[in-house]
Amino acid sequence: MKNRFVFVIVLFLFLSSFPIFLGMYLERDGNVFGGIILNPIDGYTYLAKMQIGYSGEWIYTLPYTAIPGEGGYLFLFYIILGHLARLFHISPIIFFHIARIAGSLYLVLTLYRFVSNIAGKGLLNTSFSWLLFGSGLGWIVLPTGYLPSDMWVAESYPFLSALANPHFPVGIGLMLELFILFNQQGKKAVSRNFLGAVLAFLLANIMPFGYVILICVLFIDSIWNFINKRKFNTFYLFWLGIGGMPVCLYQIWISNFDPVLKIWNQQNITTSPPLLDFLISFSPAIMLAGVLLFTKFGGIDKQKYQLLIIWMVVCVVFAYSPISLQRRFLIGFYVPIVILASVVIDYLPFVFKKGIILIKLIISVSFISNLLLLFIILFGMLTNSPTLYISRNQQAVLSWLNENASRHDVILAPVDLSLLIPAYTGKRVVYGHPFETANADQAKSLVDNFYMGYLDIADQERFLNEYKVNFIVYPESVLKTKQIHQRDYWNGTYLVGDYLIVKIENFN
């Protein structure tokens, strides 16, 4: 590997990690850096899943639901990370970032091998840096106040994936690894097929939507090769099915069999961005990939890039099909479109006199969104934004609950604090997340009505009994209204920072 590529890899790891250290450095006024810099609403749920393993458990139950049901073997990647964090006596948030950096390194090295094996080493100079640091043209619409997809749909872009969490880069890396193995037909078939089964098993557990995309792409590619070359890679696909299909079938079954997980599954709606946003956020790469797909530009041999073209088309079809989890199928989508765009770009100097200048312009504008995103994150850190930092009083409550509440106690707390409680204490809340709280709208409405004083004493007791609440956290805003009074079911009060924590009797 040349020194230039080593420098690019080191720069990628630095840029995707230095915001974490900067966030800790810029802590002030007692605020504590939360450790999640991209999409905290989802990021804290990964920490909550790690808390399950950190407590020594293996069964996944919804951390943000008061009465979670029996659960199942889901999200094992984060549960295992939690077990490892406990084994090595490392806090979950620190181990989360250790895994994220390791996963990012794995993704970068696999991307290098993928471009070399699938598209040829000749494209490395054009595509590698673009793949690692690029995104789209979303920065153009940012002044309007609209947040474009290339600043938050992290699973699609390598750089955003590395910023967000460990399982995005690891999942994309596994997809690339399995594509590479597919391309190495006839080389140690037995060991290759077995390795493929193992990696497929891991991918189906870590990123099931990536597994679905992988199988569809390879199946279509194999059918196409059979039609044109009378070759069909049956055994490799069979072993991928053996490795990953049982996992996916189990996930579908448990998500529809367990009553609570079924509610979560129905709530878990992740639609794709509007088409115009999609085109802007993946341009100019997707536009250039479209040139290769729909024209005979430069007489390029499209068959050479067949797998990448199929990958691109399959992702778009799934992303805009009438299903509730559309956006999840855009996992790694930036990879095929950038490589296909790089193929077109390499021909520009032969078509336009000033092709080299045009190439530099195209790639340069693809970096702006990520640069702006880093500046936005930096501004949030300089101002100690509540989306990035936990206040001194919130931290005091989390510490108190860690010391005084038991593992399966249910905490009634304001919504902003309820997002943090499962992530940093492993305790349950009545409402804390729009997807991972069962019957989220109903639970949020009850919590809001409770704190706004809309429930009379009988309704309060009925609500607390139904959700089996063990502790109530009253924020300063409610305390100032002087609308709360000692209740018969209170079994102890504790002033923690600006919060009043009330331990209540078990109504049952």
Side-chain angles (χ1 to χ4, degrees):
M1 191 181 295
K2 297 180 180 178
N3 290 336
R4 174 178 176 271
F5 293 115
V6 173
F7 171 77
V8 168
I9 291 171
V10 172
L11 180 63
F12 177 84
L13 294 176
F14 170 76
L15 289 178
S16 60
S17 297
F18 95 93
I20 304 300
F21 300 102
L22 186 62
M24 292 186 288
Y25 176 75
L26 292 175
E27 292 177 350
R28 65 173 182 268
D29 299 329
N31 291 345
V32 178
F33 180 55
I36 305 296
I37 59 176
L38 200 65
N39 193 6
I41 290 180
D42 283 348
Y44 286 125
T45 69
Y46 306 137
L47 293 180
K49 295 174 177 70
M50 287 183 66
Q51 289 286 352
I52 295 174
Y54 199 76
S55 68
E57 300 176 7
W58 287 96
I59 300 293
Y60 173 76
T61 54
L62 294 175
Y64 290 88
T65 297
I67 306 173
E70 295 182 3
Y73 293 101
L74 299 173
F75 301 105
L76 289 175
F77 177 73
Y78 283 108
I79 292 175
I80 290 172
L81 288 184
H83 278 280
L84 292 174
R86 176 173 54 86
L87 180 65
F88 291 106
H89 304 287
I90 300 174
S91 71
I93 184 62
I94 298 298
F95 205 82
F96 175 90
H97 286 296
I98 292 173
R100 184 187 58 78
I101 294 171
S104 300
L105 177 60
Y106 172 65
L107 171 60
V108 173
L109 296 177
T110 311
L111 267 173
Y112 184 92
R113 293 176 53 241
F114 179 79
V115 176
S116 300
N117 281 269
I118 302 297
K121 291 186 177 181
L123 281 181
L124 277 171
N125 288 329
T126 305
S127 63
F128 193 57
S129 296
W130 191 0
L131 277 170
L132 294 185
F133 302 106
S135 55
L137 299 178
W139 54 272
I140 293 175
V141 302
L142 196 60
T144 67
Y146 181 83
L147 187 65
S149 298
D150 59 351
M151 289 189 173
W152 65 275
V153 183
E155 60 263 46
S156 297
Y157 306 87
F159 186 72
L160 294 189
S161 294
L163 278 176
N165 57 57
H167 82 279
F168 283 171
V170 171
I172 297 172
L174 288 171
M175 288 179 69
L176 300 177
E177 199 77 61
L178 286 163
F179 280 133
I180 293 170
L181 286 175
F182 177 78
N183 203 46
Q184 295 175 343
Q185 298 182 24
K187 297 181 180 180
K188 299 181 180 179
V190 175
S191 59
R192 179 177 69 103
N193 291 339
F194 178 75
L195 178 59
V198 173
L199 296 180
F201 174 80
L202 296 175
L203 177 60
N205 274 287
I206 296 171
M207 191 77 73
F209 301 101
Y211 175 79
V212 173
I213 290 293
L214 173 87
I215 291 297
C216 289
V217 170
L218 295 185
F219 181 76
I220 295 172
D221 186 78
S222 296
I223 292 294
W224 192 259
N225 285 336
F226 178 76
I227 293 173
N228 290 280
K229 303 176 182 178
R230 299 298 176 184
K231 294 181 179 180
F232 190 81
N233 197 354
T234 309
F235 291 108
Y236 184 68
L237 284 173
F238 172 78
W239 279 97
L240 294 190
I242 290 293
M245 196 62 67
V247 177
C248 288
L249 292 176
Y250 171 77
Q251 292 170 340
I252 294 171
W253 173 77
I254 195 64
S255 297
N256 289 277
F257 173 79
D258 183 275
V260 180
L261 291 177
K262 184 176 181 179
I263 296 171
W264 158 70
N265 193 38
Q266 292 170 344
Q267 291 178 165
N268 191 16
I269 299 174
T270 52
T271 56
S272 292
L275 188 58
L276 181 59
D277 180 0
F278 174 82
L279 292 174
I280 292 173
S281 294
F282 287 104
S283 290
I286 197 169
M287 294 299 183
L288 291 169
V291 169
L292 176 61
L293 180 60
F294 296 111
T295 72
K296 297 181 179 180
F297 182 83
I300 299 172
D301 181 11
K302 297 180 186 179
Q303 189 173 349
K304 183 178 178 181
Y305 308 102
Q306 176 178 297
L307 186 140
L308 296 168
I309 292 172
I310 294 171
W311 186 358
M312 179 180 73
V313 172
V314 166
C315 281
V316 173
V317 169
F318 270 109
Y320 289 94
S321 296
I323 52 180
S324 61
L325 296 169
Q326 296 172 324
R327 197 184 75 239
R328 299 300 184 192
F329 292 100
L330 289 175
I331 174 73
F333 180 64
Y334 198 62
V335 175
I337 63 172
V338 164
I339 297 176
L340 292 173
S342 299
V343 174
V344 174
I345 277 181
D346 274 5
Y347 278 82
L348 286 180
F350 302 103
V351 178
F352 301 104
K353 291 182 179 179
K354 297 184 178 181
I356 298 295
I357 297 176
L358 185 58
I359 290 172
K360 292 180 179 178
L361 177 63
I362 289 171
I363 296 178
S364 296
V365 297
S366 299
F367 296 155
I368 297 176
S369 283
N370 283 338
L371 287 173
L372 285 176
L373 179 62
L374 290 176
F375 278 117
I376 291 170
I377 293 171
L378 175 60
F379 178 78
M381 291 174 175
L382 289 171
T383 58
N384 269 205
S385 167
T387 61
L388 298 175
Y389 287 85
I390 302 170
S391 72
R392 171 178 53 82
N393 291 308
Q394 288 175 327
Q395 180 65 25
V397 172
L398 296 175
S399 298
W400 191 94
L401 290 173
N402 261 326
E403 295 174 4
N404 297 277
S406 63
R407 167 76 179 101
H408 295 290
D409 279 346
V410 176
I411 318 298
L412 172 60
V415 172
D416 58 340
L417 185 58
S418 290
L419 177 64
L420 303 172
I421 288 172
Y424 285 97
T425 74
K427 313 302 187 287
R428 299 193 173 280
V429 291
V430 175
Y431 173 84
H433 196 271
F435 296 154
E436 299 204 8
T437 299
N439 298 315
D441 291 340
Q442 175 187 333
K444 186 176 186 300
S445 177
L446 284 168
V447 171
D448 289 340
N449 289 339
F450 179 88
Y451 283 111
M452 288 187 290
Y454 295 160
L455 302 181
D456 59 28
I457 295 177
D459 287 337
Q460 287 183 30
E461 292 190 7
R462 190 160 37 249
F463 164 48
L464 297 171
N465 183 36
E466 179 184 352
Y467 284 87
K468 302 184 185 302
V469 174
N470 303 103
F471 292 91
I472 305 172
V473 181
Y474 287 101
E476 182 184 23
S477 59
V478 174
L479 294 176
K480 286 182 176 179
T481 65
K482 299 181 180 179
Q483 293 179 353
I484 62 170
H485 306 282
Q486 177 78 34
R487 306 296 187 194
D488 292 338
Y489 53 82
W490 286 16
N491 193 26
T493 59
Y494 309 88
L495 189 62
V496 181
D498 288 338
Y499 291 87
L500 176 68
I501 300 179
V502 176
K503 184 175 182 180
I504 65 175
E505 294 179 349
N506 190 337
F507 293 102
N508 296 322

